[in-house]
Structures are given as C-alpha cells and as structure tokens.
Amino acid sequence: MKFEMFDIGIILGPLVGVAIILVLVQLVSLPFWLLKNSVLGAIMLYLFNFLNVFAIKITFIHCLIVGIFGVPGIIGLVIYLHFLK
C-alpha cells in the first residue's frame, strides 16, 4: 500500500491568494470611502451652518470628522471650537 504525501501548498496557496486580493480591495476602496464621507460631512456642515446656531468653518479635516462620526462629530466640533479653543 502506497501513501502519497499531502502537499500543503495545494490548500495554502489559494488561501493566501484570496487573502492578498481582499487586502488589495480594502486598500483601493479606502480613499473612495474617505472621499464619500468627506463630501457627506461637508453637506452636513453646510446644513448646520445654514441654521445659524454655531458657525463651523468647512475644511477638509472638519468634513472628515463629521463624515466619519456623524452628529456626535458635529457636537464634538462645536464643543471644541466654541468652548475649549
């Protein structure tokens, strides 16, 4: 009776390939996600400034903070810019 050696590369190769593809997809999609959230943050800041409650300058960093954190980001910016700074 002859036993053949099981080659680990048969299973490990495709798994490593899929993992590399998933990492590359995440790296490519990250700038688009940041851009989308920044645009949404700018729109939220514009609408917030339209209400004339507090004036927050629309910069890329402020848009990114609001785009990532949403309403808590606006509240944090108001507290930081108008009360702590």
Side-chain angles (χ1 to χ4, degrees), residues 29-54:
S29 67
L30 180 66
F32 295 110
W33 180 79
L34 287 174
L35 182 67
K36 176 191 71 150
N37 282 351
S38 297
V39 169
L40 291 175
I43 292 169
M44 288 175 64
L45 281 175
Y46 178 77
L47 292 175
F48 186 77
N49 285 337
F50 185 73
L51 296 175
N52 279 337
V53 178
F54 292 104

Side-chain angles (χ1 to χ4, degrees), residues 8-22:
I8 192 74
I10 293 174
I11 293 179
L12 198 58
L15 288 177
V16 170
V18 169
I20 289 172
I21 289 173
L22 289 175

Side-chain angles (χ1 to χ4, degrees), residues 59-79:
T59 64
F60 179 73
I61 299 298
H62 293 164
C63 294
L64 194 59
I65 290 170
V66 172
I68 291 174
F69 296 112
V71 175
I74 291 177
I75 294 169
L77 279 175
V78 167
I79 290 171

Side-chain angles (χ1 to χ4, degrees), residues 2-15:
K2 181 178 178 184
F3 292 104
E4 293 184 25
M5 294 296 295
F6 183 71
D7 190 14
I8 192 74
I10 293 174
I11 293 179
L12 198 58
L15 288 177

